[in-house]
Amino acid sequence: MPQRLVIIGAGFAGMYAALSAARLRDAKRASAEKLEIVLVAPEPTLVVRPRLYEANPETLIAPLDEVLKAIDVRYVQGTVEAIDTRSRSIEVASKALRRHTMPYDRLVLATGSRLFRPEIPGLAEHAFSVDQLDDAIKLDRHIHGLAGRAASSARDTVVVAGGGFTGIEVATEMPARLRKILGPDAKIRVVIVERGAAIAPDMGAEPRPVIEKALAECGVETRLNVGVAALDDAGVTLSDGTRIESATVIWAAGMRAAPLTAQVPGERDKFGRLLVDRALRVPEVAGVFATGDAAKAACDDQGNHALMSCQHATRMGAFAGNNAAAELLGEPTMPYHQKGYATCLDLGQAGAIFTRGWDRKLELVGAKAKATKKEINTVWIYPPRAERVAALASADPEHVTDL
């Protein structure tokens, strides 16, 4: 009897889940008729979210349709609106078929994450972000539109709320983007607002002085131990009462698992991620795997857990897809593990930093790290070419993101 494996999401985790599941199916000489692999997403594209802080975000997508065809994965265009784990089915809304039900034998939830937007007055109406492709395009158009305004402190000032990875990459890229649009004589001001006591709170002590020096080199100011209290169309008011006139406030203060994750029964962490076992199964419900930003998974036996990053999502996706297919093919599952961990943080015109290990040991700085970041951004994280053998070979779980 034919069986169906459904993957929700075409991000890094969903893409590698499809590749890996197809790889195992091919290795076990099972046909696409015996094991149908279906990927459901609004568009058959990979949005390269780690790059959305850059200019021209509309170009930062990679097509997946030809890759999926090459490996016999069926793409269904639509948005999953409901998951019924008791009947093992999902409800898909699409323009072509409207709303329809799709049964599954195994489900891989690879729905990613969304920017966390708290209830701050004016945030929804006035803040920009680089969370999703549409958000980044909206910000890019807004920045270009500033050239049509008269010079003022508000026009020339950008406030970035959040001093983590995204906030730093956005802030350090912004001076060059603004000067290109507003001209070299514009009095550019970029300010990072961070509630914590230190910039880059997750990076640790060793890289921080390098980051702080890079921020100063780029002309980026930092305001620590203070948050955003309110926004309006002319600027932002901070929690200490300070007012900053700004036409461009960018929210980059934390992520949460996508809302669809809440429809799957199970225990969650503070980010809304489902707690999964080492095979990436959701223990509380049969037939469901969670991966990428939808899952909290142990990377090793030393207490380290996967972060909400493409580096972890790609490898987690490969294990989830493999294991979901393995259960349907009567094969043993593989325990997810990811002992290698590296961080490459873009610092705009000041270069970049590359750290290795959970203790963030500095390995490269400046131009050398920037070259590595460019290779990551333009080569490593893109889909494999649409050729069956090469595509399937790229998805061996033991070698995906093997640092």
Side-chain angles (χ1 to χ4, degrees):
M1 181 177 177
Q3 294 182 299
R4 176 182 289 159
L5 191 168
V6 174
I7 300 161
I8 307 176
F12 294 102
M15 176 180 72
Y16 269 93
L19 286 164
S20 186
R23 174 185 175 275
L24 184 64
R25 180 181 63 186
D26 189 72
K28 299 305 173 183
R29 301 185 182 278
S31 67
E33 289 73 29
K34 177 181 178 181
L35 174 55
E36 182 185 28
I37 302 171
V38 180
L39 187 144
V40 183
E43 297 293 336
T45 54
L46 173 70
V47 176
V48 192
R49 282 178 64 187
R51 296 186 60 191
L52 293 182
Y53 62 90
E54 298 179 0
N56 305 313
E58 65 277 1
T59 67
L60 303 179
I61 58 174
L64 292 177
D65 44 359
E66 293 302 317
V67 178
L68 297 175
K69 288 178 184 176
I71 60 173
D72 293 321
V73 170
R74 181 162 72 95
Y75 167 68
V76 171
Q77 187 168 37
T79 300
V80 177
E81 295 188 342
I83 300 173
D84 187 337
T85 57
R86 290 176 296 180
S87 66
R88 296 200 181 194
S89 65
I90 59 174
E91 294 289 327
V92 182
S94 67
K95 293 179 181 179
L97 299 174
R98 297 187 180 181
R99 188 177 174 116
H100 62 283
T101 300
M102 178 184 294
Y104 65 82
D105 295 285
R106 291 296 183 277
L107 179 70
V108 176
L109 189 69
T111 44
S113 56
R114 298 293 182 272
L115 188 65
F116 173 60
R117 292 179 172 89
E119 296 290 331
I120 293 176
L123 179 64
E125 297 87 353
H126 302 294
F128 295 90
S129 81
V130 294
D131 179 46
Q132 303 294 314
L133 182 62
D134 288 346
D135 298 333
I137 291 173
K138 181 181 178 181
L139 172 63
D140 195 57
R141 289 174 178 169
H142 166 78
I143 293 171
H144 279 85
L146 293 174
R149 302 188 187 188
S152 68
S153 59
R155 185 200 73 165
D156 298 343
T157 298
V158 172
V159 176
V160 179
F165 295 173
T166 301
I168 290 170
E169 292 191 324
V170 169
T172 53
E173 187 78 6
M174 197 55 61
R177 289 178 68 177
L178 288 173
R179 288 192 186 96
K180 186 175 181 180
I181 295 167
L182 300 179
D185 296 329
K187 296 179 180 179
I188 304 301
R189 184 187 183 198
V190 178
V191 184
I192 294 178
V193 176
E194 167 58 44
R195 283 190 174 275
I199 202 72
D202 295 331
M203 285 299 291
E206 185 179 359
R208 191 168 295 120
V210 180
I211 296 171
E212 291 172 343
K213 182 180 178 182
L215 292 172
E217 185 178 327
C218 293
V220 176
E221 304 171 34
T222 57
R223 294 291 308 274
L224 303 177
N225 294 308
V226 66
V228 171
L231 294 86
D232 55 48
D233 59 0
V236 59
T237 301
L238 305 184
S239 56
D240 64 358
T242 302
R243 172 77 179 177
I244 302 177
E245 299 298 320
S246 173
T248 311
V249 179
I250 303 171
W251 188 259
M255 306 297 290
R256 297 291 185 273
L260 192 66
T261 312
Q263 295 193 24
V264 176
E267 187 178 355
R268 293 168 176 77
D269 70 357
K270 64 180 181 180
F271 301 110
R273 299 182 299 176
L274 288 157
L275 274 58
V276 295
D277 66 16
R278 294 303 290 268
L280 303 182
R281 302 183 194 90
V282 179
E284 291 84 356
V285 58
V288 177
F289 293 74
T291 190
D293 289 359
K296 180 178 181 180
C299 292
D300 52 38
D301 297 324
Q302 284 71 55
N304 296 309
H305 289 80
L307 303 179
M308 298 169 94
S309 71
C310 70
Q311 178 183 165
H312 286 102
T314 52
R315 189 169 171 91
M316 290 172 70
F319 275 89
N322 177 89
N323 290 343
E327 287 194 347
L328 296 175
L329 294 170
E331 297 293 323
T333 59
M334 302 170 62
Y336 163 70
H337 57 96
Q338 193 160 352
K339 293 184 179 180
Y341 176 59
T343 300
C344 197
L345 183 68
D346 203 335
L347 296 172
Q349 292 184 319
I353 61 169
F354 183 90
T355 70
R356 193 178 295 278
W358 292 97
D359 57 353
R360 316 281 190 182
K361 185 69 176 176
L362 266 176
E363 195 165 290
L364 297 172
V365 299
K368 290 183 178 179
K370 188 78 167 186
T372 300
K373 182 68 172 180
K374 183 178 180 180
E375 186 172 0
I376 291 170
N377 274 355
T378 59
V379 180
W380 295 4
I381 61 178
Y382 276 71
R385 65 180 185 272
E387 192 278 316
R388 184 180 181 86
V389 174
L392 295 178
S394 74
D396 181 350
E398 291 289 357
H399 297 294
V400 171
T401 322
D402 187 15
L403 297 172

